[in-house]
Amino acid sequence: MSLDGLVVHSLVRELQACVGGRINKVHMPTHNDIVLQLRAQGRNLKLLLSANPTYPRVHLTEQAYTNPLEAPMFCMLLRKHCEGGVIESIAQPGLERVIRLQVRQRDELGDVSSKTIVVEIMGRHSNIILLDPATGTIIDGIHHVTPAISSYRIVMPGSAYTAPPEQHKNHPFHTDKERFIAVLTQPDDATGQEDDDRRVVAKRTAAPDSREAAWANRLVACFSGISPLVAKELVYRAQPLWPASDMPENLRPEKDAAIVWEPFHTLIEQLRYDGGVPQICDQPDTGKQSFSIVELTHLHGETKQFASVSECLEAFYGDKAERDTVKQRVSDLLRFLQNERSKNVKKLEKLQETLEEGRDADKFRIIGELLTASMHQIQKGDPQIEVINYYDEEQRPVVIVLDPLLTPSENAQRYFKKYTKSKNSLVVVKEQLEQTHQEIRYLNSLLQQLGTASLSDIEEIRDELVEQGYIRDRSKKTRKKKSNLKPQLSCFTSSEGIAIYVGKNNTQNEYLTNRLAQSADTWLHTKDIPGSHVVIRSAQFGDATLQEAAQLAAYFSQAKSSSQVPVDYTMIKHVRKPGGAKPGFVIYDHQKTLYITPDAESIKQMPVSIK
């Protein structure tokens, strides 16, 4: 659901709390996002500016971001011009999806300079641009737009800044009833080829859905900041007041427009004096989510309200944006692991075929012995021979295929060699089968981990693949620095106040289970399903903590969307890693099993920190 002008209006009102605040740090965790760490009104705040093409947004955030070891150039530029500066104003031009942050800072010479950060929230064309307001010149943008991409707007260092094209719509806050009705009932084009009354009458005599859609489209087309979602809501609120469409005396567009004015005016007055009601509406029938600062009564779904627009946007976009970024970063690893898994599955099929052939080894020995006993009946060059099978209770004849180029003795030896080879191969094939099964289990676990990985987990998984020899080391210097660091673990707090640690990848699993956990701690893992290691860091706890830990084990596993997921639990002293086993692989005993249906909402409510 798009972030419309009304939401931006309420957001900018909320962000006035940042005005006068000092920018202490500037970080760029991804190539689309900027995080400003602020000190404002006695509080430490984090302001996220995102030009993500799928999830562009601006809001205060509580989320922890992992920053690259080397800051990108645009981040260094923002640090130079904005770090240590004071935010003088945060404004929205009109009701456009644009936010301008005015920053005052002393430059390296001690002179006061002013810069403007412009955040343009325009879908795949979203951008974050640093301007020199004195000259209107672009210092740089997070995304460059060259003349080859757009001849209208160029976003390059040194170029003059051009604002996004105006839509020339009416401002809802500057519209009275008379103007509202006139705007909604004016002809669609300046040529006047289609009379307004005839157009609206035609739409009103059509199906009810067409009538509602027509007025919703008119609202979107005529007023800035009004998204299709809000327009549908306003028309839905006006619908009970509309007269029946089959009454000729009521077929006047002005009358319908006057009725639509009532919910429109109520909404605008509400937004004029407060920030609306930020909320997310879940629609179970379609599985979609929608957010707005307007109560969405027309969706008939489950609604959750938030105390601020920032909380609403973070709840709606947070996981989606991170998953999208993670998906982009791990696309090469996913392809590699899926290919490796496919290779091992094919190898498994071949080994199964070889195993079946090896189990028939005795038939080659019998044929060799029958040929030896019937040597006198065979002539060199014979393609086959029929002999009595003395090993058959019914003494039935059997036809044996011969190699015409070999002597009778050599043909018999050929079958004995096949027998020996097939018999010896059974041992080797069984070993390879076990190794291939382990390899597939390992690759499945990595695929599951990538499916739930956060940005901070990706590099640990990549490092593991380098250490195991699956991929090449792309940056040896970087990995040497990181090798001595212990992994950071997610630590959840149960309702009983007990710490529950979760490993999100094999590096974390190994550290958690084999080094951090103590013998009296309780270890949990999904039964025969790839998933995270979970440890309850306490010798004493109640059923509530055990249930919550099992929830975490089921949720951070391949079966997170299933019901009645089996979760084994035992004490750490009963968990051990076999010699030579793959990372993250352990065996355990003395276990008990719980059956849990993962509940994402209850897990999101659990306090969590990174340790």
Side-chain angles (χ1 to χ4, degrees), residues 169-186:
K169 295 182 180 181
N170 294 274
H171 197 301
F173 289 83
H174 305 154
T175 303
D176 57 18
K177 184 175 182 179
E178 190 174 318
R179 174 66 179 163
F180 178 85
I181 295 172
V183 166
L184 275 193
T185 56
Q186 68 184 356

CSV table of all heavy atoms in Angstrom, one decimal, residues 169-186:
chain,number,residue,atom,x,y,z
A,169,LYS,N,-2.9,19.6,-8.8
A,169,LYS,CA,-4.2,19.2,-8.1
A,169,LYS,C,-4.5,20.2,-7.0
A,169,LYS,O,-3.7,21.1,-6.6
A,169,LYS,CB,-4.0,17.8,-7.5
A,169,LYS,CG,-3.8,16.7,-8.5
A,169,LYS,CD,-3.8,15.3,-7.7
A,169,LYS,CE,-3.5,14.2,-8.7
A,169,LYS,NZ,-3.5,12.9,-8.0
A,170,ASN,N,-5.7,20.2,-6.5
A,170,ASN,CA,-6.2,21.1,-5.5
A,170,ASN,C,-5.7,20.6,-4.1
A,170,ASN,O,-5.6,19.4,-3.8
A,170,ASN,CB,-7.7,21.1,-5.5
A,170,ASN,CG,-8.2,21.8,-6.8
A,170,ASN,OD1,-8.4,23.0,-6.9
A,170,ASN,ND2,-8.5,20.9,-7.8
A,171,HIS,N,-5.4,21.6,-3.3
A,171,HIS,CA,-4.9,21.3,-1.9
A,171,HIS,C,-6.2,21.0,-1.0
A,171,HIS,O,-7.0,22.0,-0.9
A,171,HIS,CB,-4.1,22.4,-1.4
A,171,HIS,CG,-3.3,22.0,-0.2
A,171,HIS,ND1,-3.8,21.5,1.0
A,171,HIS,CD2,-1.9,22.1,0.0
A,171,HIS,CE1,-2.8,21.3,1.9
A,171,HIS,NE2,-1.7,21.6,1.3
A,172,PRO,N,-6.3,19.9,-0.4
A,172,PRO,CA,-7.5,19.6,0.4
A,172,PRO,C,-7.7,20.5,1.5
A,172,PRO,O,-8.9,20.9,1.9
A,172,PRO,CB,-7.3,18.2,0.9
A,172,PRO,CG,-6.3,17.6,-0.1
A,172,PRO,CD,-5.4,18.7,-0.5
A,173,PHE,N,-6.6,21.0,2.1
A,173,PHE,CA,-6.7,21.9,3.3
A,173,PHE,C,-7.1,23.3,2.9
A,173,PHE,O,-7.5,24.1,3.8
A,173,PHE,CB,-5.4,21.9,4.1
A,173,PHE,CG,-5.1,20.6,4.8
A,173,PHE,CD1,-4.5,19.6,4.1
A,173,PHE,CD2,-5.4,20.4,6.1
A,173,PHE,CE1,-4.2,18.4,4.7
A,173,PHE,CE2,-5.1,19.3,6.7
A,173,PHE,CZ,-4.5,18.2,6.1
A,174,HIS,N,-7.1,23.6,1.6
A,174,HIS,CA,-7.4,25.0,1.2
A,174,HIS,C,-8.7,25.0,0.3
A,174,HIS,O,-8.8,25.8,-0.5
A,174,HIS,CB,-6.2,25.6,0.4
A,174,HIS,CG,-4.9,25.6,1.1
A,174,HIS,ND1,-3.7,25.6,0.5
A,174,HIS,CD2,-4.7,25.6,2.5
A,174,HIS,CE1,-2.8,25.6,1.4
A,174,HIS,NE2,-3.3,25.6,2.6
A,175,THR,N,-9.5,24.0,0.6
A,175,THR,CA,-10.8,23.9,-0.2
A,175,THR,C,-12.0,24.0,0.6
A,175,THR,O,-12.1,23.3,1.7
A,175,THR,CB,-10.7,22.5,-0.9
A,175,THR,OG1,-9.5,22.4,-1.7
A,175,THR,CG2,-12.0,22.3,-1.8
A,176,ASP,N,-12.9,24.9,0.3
A,176,ASP,CA,-14.2,24.9,1.0
A,176,ASP,C,-15.2,24.1,0.2
A,176,ASP,O,-15.0,23.5,-0.9
A,176,ASP,CB,-14.7,26.4,1.1
A,176,ASP,CG,-14.8,27.1,-0.2
A,176,ASP,OD1,-14.9,26.4,-1.3
A,176,ASP,OD2,-14.8,28.3,-0.2
A,177,LYS,N,-16.4,24.0,0.7
A,177,LYS,CA,-17.5,23.2,0.1
A,177,LYS,C,-17.8,23.6,-1.3
A,177,LYS,O,-18.0,22.7,-2.2
A,177,LYS,CB,-18.7,23.2,1.0
A,177,LYS,CG,-19.8,22.3,0.5
A,177,LYS,CD,-21.0,22.3,1.5
A,177,LYS,CE,-22.1,21.3,1.1
A,177,LYS,NZ,-23.2,21.2,2.0
A,178,GLU,N,-17.9,24.9,-1.5
A,178,GLU,CA,-18.3,25.3,-2.8
A,178,GLU,C,-17.2,25.0,-3.9
A,178,GLU,O,-17.6,24.5,-5.0
A,178,GLU,CB,-18.5,26.9,-2.8
A,178,GLU,CG,-19.1,27.5,-4.0
A,178,GLU,CD,-19.4,28.9,-3.8
A,178,GLU,OE1,-19.8,29.3,-2.8
A,178,GLU,OE2,-19.1,29.7,-4.8
A,179,ARG,N,-16.0,25.2,-3.5
A,179,ARG,CA,-14.9,24.8,-4.4
A,179,ARG,C,-14.8,23.3,-4.6
A,179,ARG,O,-14.6,22.8,-5.7
A,179,ARG,CB,-13.6,25.3,-3.8
A,179,ARG,CG,-12.3,24.9,-4.5
A,179,ARG,CD,-12.2,25.5,-5.9
A,179,ARG,NE,-11.0,25.2,-6.5
A,179,ARG,CZ,-10.8,25.3,-7.8
A,179,ARG,NH1,-11.8,25.8,-8.6
A,179,ARG,NH2,-9.7,24.9,-8.4
A,180,PHE,N,-15.1,22.6,-3.5
A,180,PHE,CA,-15.0,21.1,-3.6
A,180,PHE,C,-16.0,20.6,-4.6
A,180,PHE,O,-15.7,19.8,-5.5
A,180,PHE,CB,-15.3,20.5,-2.2
A,180,PHE,CG,-15.4,19.0,-2.2
A,180,PHE,CD1,-14.2,18.3,-2.0
A,180,PHE,CD2,-16.6,18.3,-2.3
A,180,PHE,CE1,-14.2,16.9,-1.9
A,180,PHE,CE2,-16.6,16.9,-2.2
A,180,PHE,CZ,-15.4,16.2,-2.0
A,181,ILE,N,-17.3,21.1,-4.5
A,181,ILE,CA,-18.3,20.6,-5.5
A,181,ILE,C,-18.0,21.0,-6.9
A,181,ILE,O,-18.1,20.2,-7.8
A,181,ILE,CB,-19.7,21.2,-5.0
A,181,ILE,CG1,-20.1,20.6,-3.7
A,181,ILE,CG2,-20.8,20.8,-6.1
A,181,ILE,CD1,-21.3,21.2,-3.0
A,182,ALA,N,-17.5,22.2,-7.1
A,182,ALA,CA,-17.2,22.7,-8.4
A,182,ALA,C,-16.0,21.9,-9.0
A,182,ALA,O,-16.1,21.5,-10.2
A,182,ALA,CB,-16.8,24.2,-8.3
A,183,VAL,N,-15.0,21.5,-8.2
A,183,VAL,CA,-13.9,20.8,-8.7
A,183,VAL,C,-14.3,19.3,-9.1
A,183,VAL,O,-14.0,18.8,-10.2
A,183,VAL,CB,-12.8,20.7,-7.7
A,183,VAL,CG1,-11.7,19.6,-8.0
A,183,VAL,CG2,-12.1,22.1,-7.6
A,184,LEU,N,-15.1,18.7,-8.3
A,184,LEU,CA,-15.5,17.3,-8.5
A,184,LEU,C,-16.5,17.2,-9.7
A,184,LEU,O,-16.6,16.2,-10.3
A,184,LEU,CB,-16.2,16.7,-7.3
A,184,LEU,CG,-15.3,16.1,-6.2
A,184,LEU,CD1,-16.1,15.3,-5.2
A,184,LEU,CD2,-14.2,15.3,-6.8
A,185,THR,N,-17.2,18.3,-10.0
A,185,THR,CA,-18.2,18.2,-11.1
A,185,THR,C,-17.8,18.9,-12.3
A,185,THR,O,-18.6,19.0,-13.3
A,185,THR,CB,-19.5,18.8,-10.6
A,185,THR,OG1,-19.3,20.1,-10.1
A,185,THR,CG2,-20.1,17.9,-9.4
A,186,GLN,N,-16.5,19.3,-12.4
A,186,GLN,CA,-16.1,20.0,-13.6
A,186,GLN,C,-15.8,18.9,-14.7
A,186,GLN,O,-15.6,17.8,-14.4
A,186,GLN,CB,-14.9,20.8,-13.4
A,186,GLN,CG,-13.6,20.0,-13.0
A,186,GLN,CD,-12.4,20.9,-12.7
A,186,GLN,OE1,-12.5,22.1,-12.8
A,186,GLN,NE2,-11.3,20.3,-12.3
